[in-house]
Amino acid sequence: MADSKYIVIDPENKNNLGDINISPAVLEVLLGIAASKVSGVSEMRGTLADSILGREKRSKGVTVSYDEKTGKLTADVYVYLKYGVSVPQVALEMQKDLTQQLQYMTEMEMAQVNVHVVGLVTPRTDKQVANSK
């Protein structure tokens, strides 16, 4: 998970209305949802507890770190891709989409989006479906 401290979105307080603080966990959820919507992504990497308990965790597969010196974020995204897609093409699209989504929703800049392809998911054949019953 990300750091437990909040990230200040407007550190110079340009609007003179007060601080805007956001939890890194919120950024992980935001990026997790955006990553799961990229064409070619089958699923995000989750934990064993998530699969056993059957709960859906929107931030699964995403970790965020914040560099206070530069004011930029680094995201590590762990995904399973659909078999047959172009891995570099999907990864580049994911990097672009996540950077744009973060900029749009928080006006923060992304230093890096590191895409880790954990595996490929193949489509089930009719024979596999019949044998699983």
Side-chain angles (χ1 to χ4, degrees), residues 6-46:
Y6 286 89
I7 299 169
V8 179
I9 291 183
D10 184 16
E12 287 88 32
N13 199 5
K14 294 176 188 171
N15 62 17
N16 296 322
L17 297 174
D19 293 336
I20 301 172
N21 300 309
I22 188 165
S23 170
V26 172
L27 299 174
E28 290 174 351
V29 170
L30 184 151
L31 294 174
I33 293 170
S36 65
K37 291 184 179 184
V38 173
S39 178
V41 172
S42 177
E43 59 189 270
M44 305 295 289
R45 181 186 75 181

Side-chain angles (χ1 to χ4, degrees), residues 74-131:
T74 298
D76 287 292
V77 183
Y78 298 86
V79 296
Y80 290 91
L81 299 182
K82 294 177 183 175
Y83 179 79
V85 300
S86 169
V87 174
Q89 184 178 358
V90 172
L92 287 171
E93 184 179 343
M94 186 176 299
Q95 289 173 326
K96 182 185 80 170
D97 288 357
L98 270 59
T99 301
Q100 287 177 348
Q101 188 68 25
L102 183 80
Q103 177 69 31
Y104 171 73
M105 292 193 69
T106 66
E107 297 184 6
M108 297 180 77
E109 291 187 35
M110 188 74 78
Q112 293 180 335
V113 177
N114 301 313
V115 178
H116 306 272
V117 178
V118 180
L120 297 174
V121 176
T122 59
R124 296 183 73 172
T125 63
D126 292 335
K127 186 177 181 180
Q128 289 173 324
V129 172
N131 288 340

